[in-house]
Amino acid sequence: MQTYEYTARNTATGQKVKSQVQAENEQTAAKLIRDQGFSPLEVRLQGSSTEGLKRFTNRIRAKDKILFSRQLSTLINAGLPLIQSLRNVSAQTQSKPLKVVIDQVISDVEGGAALSAALSRHPEAFNRVFISMVAAGESSGTLDKSLERLANQQEKDAEIISKVRGAMIYPAVVITVMIAVVGFMIVKVLPQVEVMYRDLPGASLPLVTRMLLAVSHFTSRFWWVIGLVLIAGAFFGSRWARTGPGREFVDRAKLRMWPIGQLFQKMYMARFARTGATLVGSGVPLLQMLDITGEAINNVHVEAALRRAAEKVKGGKALFDSLQSEEAFLQLVPNMLRIGEQSGAIEAMMEKIADYYEREVDTAIRNISSIIEPVLMVILGVFAFIIVAAVLLPIYSLAGQTIIR
């Protein structure tokens, strides 16, 4: 028997729990967790020193899952049996981690398990959105259409994330280069100015030069302390950001920080609408859709807003009315949902909301790029002016004293 640590969601209350379970293998551990009324999100062997490395090297990329969904949908639609379709997909996939998962899924399905149940034993590869849509497709006999919707939804989500990450690359590169240049000037160039002044009687360096030289001396002597502080700060900061209070702070900053607040808020609206439309179109009940979508959005404040809305819907309120007072949701969302609910076309309206906010995300990214570039140039100019002043003022002062003499 081995000890497994797990993170799961209580299916009755929706709360996340972390605990341990004794089992022979990971599949048995996941079964024991489900028997306790929990939906496993992550199961791992306790004390594995290579867990972080394994998680990185065995990571299944989004494009691999998209390809898996699309290929499986095409083969099932062509009339092939499920197991044969899975075997064909396994033979074609180039992702070794995904191939291992698919082979295990095939083994479970051959043993009599439903596809959704087999997929749910691999939470590291398939999230609740994926599993719920497969389950809905199985129950309605439209598994191929559910998988096609899944592929489309995953493609849209991956496209938005890629655009947001791409918008952050330019400022990150500029800031990195700026720090490297400033560091080189302070550590290597400024000390040469101090050497020139050292043997001159009565000569004094300007204030800005003395201040930067103090920074230079401290950096040269205690660079290892600075390195340790930065590494420790990054390590403990990342760990804190994964705790409850830390994640609340980070997720709130994403919604409110200028200039990225509007970008993230629109991205969350697009993700909510696209995922919701996909789930509703596959026949997932409204309350279950709200629960699953809240988890898929990956922001605790938006997730909490959806949980509050779900409680109001249980009490008889309409969805648009339940979201009307939620600060995390832009007002256009409940206004358009009102039309969708009143006309009985909530799926079509959510798709329109998703299309609109995906275009808004593109616009927001372009706007942020146009704002960040001049701001970075101004900051770069200020630093360059300070460095140039610290280097040239002593030289001009020295030249002036030589002329006077």
Side-chain angles (χ1 to χ4, degrees):
M1 299 288 281
Q2 302 180 89
T3 301
Y4 287 87
E5 297 176 341
Y6 69 87
T7 303
R9 187 179 295 280
N10 190 316
T11 54
T13 63
Q15 297 296 315
K16 287 185 179 180
V17 295
K18 291 184 178 181
S19 187
Q20 298 177 350
V21 64
Q22 296 282 335
E24 293 180 358
N25 52 51
E26 189 172 324
Q27 286 72 28
T28 306
K31 183 178 184 303
L32 291 173
I33 295 167
R34 284 192 291 271
D35 291 342
Q36 296 174 27
F38 298 132
S39 176
L41 303 176
E42 182 182 14
V43 182
R44 63 178 183 272
L45 186 64
Q46 185 186 45
S48 176
S49 59
T50 60
E51 184 66 31
L53 180 61
K54 282 183 179 179
R55 190 177 302 175
F56 178 77
T57 55
N58 293 337
R59 186 171 60 92
I60 299 173
R61 296 175 298 177
K63 70 176 186 178
D64 293 326
K65 288 187 279 188
I66 293 169
L67 190 60
F68 166 77
S69 303
R70 204 171 291 288
Q71 287 178 335
L72 188 59
S73 170
T74 302
L75 292 170
I76 292 174
N77 182 261
L80 269 70
L82 176 59
I83 293 176
Q84 187 178 347
S85 299
L86 286 169
R87 284 190 179 130
N88 287 335
V89 173
S90 176
Q92 294 177 42
T93 187
Q94 296 180 352
S95 169
K96 291 182 180 179
L98 181 58
K99 183 177 178 63
V100 170
V101 171
I102 295 173
D103 289 342
Q104 292 174 354
V105 168
I106 292 173
S107 177
D108 292 336
V109 172
E110 286 178 331
L115 177 60
S116 56
L119 294 175
S120 68
R121 295 170 187 172
H122 305 278
E124 76 287 353
F126 305 106
N127 58 20
R128 287 187 69 202
V129 175
F130 201 107
I131 294 164
S132 298
M133 287 191 61
V134 169
E138 286 178 312
S139 62
S140 62
T142 57
L143 181 58
D144 56 333
K145 294 181 180 178
S146 293
L147 288 167
E148 184 67 23
R149 287 195 186 100
L150 257 175
N152 293 334
Q153 184 262 333
Q154 288 174 319
E155 279 182 343
K156 292 286 187 180
D157 201 34
E159 184 181 353
I160 291 177
I161 293 173
S162 176
K163 288 178 180 178
V164 173
R165 287 176 178 170
M168 301 302 170
I169 290 176
Y170 173 73
V173 170
V174 172
I175 291 172
T176 302
V177 172
M178 184 172 63
I179 292 173
V181 171
V182 169
F184 175 79
M185 295 291 289
I186 289 176
V187 174
K188 294 296 183 182
V189 177
L190 274 178
Q192 302 302 320
V193 177
E194 184 182 25
V195 171
M196 287 174 20
Y197 262 72
R198 186 173 297 161
D199 299 326
L200 293 177
S204 63
L205 290 167
L207 176 62
V208 63
T209 307
R210 295 199 303 270
M211 292 174 62
L212 289 181
L213 278 172
V215 174
S216 175
H217 294 327
F218 180 83
T219 304
S220 299
R221 292 175 185 174
F222 301 105
W223 59 268
W224 56 275
V225 175
I226 297 172
L228 286 176
V229 169
L230 290 176
I231 293 171
F235 176 75
F236 289 109
S238 63
R239 287 181 66 89
W240 175 77
R242 290 194 290 267
T243 64
R247 190 174 177 196
E248 286 183 10
F249 176 83
V250 172
D251 286 350
R252 189 171 296 281
K254 287 180 181 178
L255 292 171
R256 295 185 176 181
M257 186 183 297
W258 183 89
I260 64 170
Q262 282 290 314
L263 170 62
F264 274 100
Q265 201 163 18
K266 290 173 181 177
M267 186 182 76
Y268 292 143
M269 296 303 99
R271 186 177 291 175
F272 160 75
R274 181 68 62 190
T275 306
T278 305
L279 290 167
V280 170
S282 297
V284 176
L286 183 60
L287 289 174
Q288 188 180 352
M289 180 274 285
L290 291 173
D291 181 44
I292 296 169
T293 305
E295 184 179 315
I297 285 176
N298 197 28
N299 184 291
V300 293
H301 301 290
V302 181
E303 183 178 357
L306 284 172
R307 293 197 182 284
R308 290 191 295 268
E311 290 300 320
K312 294 176 184 177
V313 171
K314 283 181 185 177
K317 272 192 172 184
L319 177 58
F320 76 85
D321 199 18
S322 303
L323 293 173
Q324 196 83 45
S325 60
E326 294 295 342
E327 183 183 354
F329 277 79
L330 298 173
Q331 280 304 304
L332 181 64
V333 175
N335 291 341
M336 292 185 72
L337 284 175
R338 179 199 299 267
I339 299 172
E341 288 187 284
Q342 291 175 348
S343 62
I346 188 169
E347 178 193 350
M349 191 55 65
M350 292 186 84
E351 286 179 351
K352 289 181 179 179
I353 294 171
D355 291 338
Y356 172 77
Y357 278 113
E358 283 164 4
R359 291 192 298 270
E360 285 291 295
V361 167
D362 290 340
T363 303
I365 289 173
R366 288 195 296 269
N367 292 339
I368 289 173
S369 298
S370 63
I371 291 171
I372 286 179
E373 187 169 347
V375 169
L376 287 175
M377 290 302 103
V378 170
I379 295 173
L380 186 59
V382 170
F383 275 101
F385 174 78
I386 293 173
I387 296 294
V388 170
V391 173
L392 293 184
L393 282 178
I395 296 174
Y396 287 147
S397 175
L398 185 60
Q401 290 179 15
T402 304
I403 292 172
I404 291 173
R405 290 175 184 173

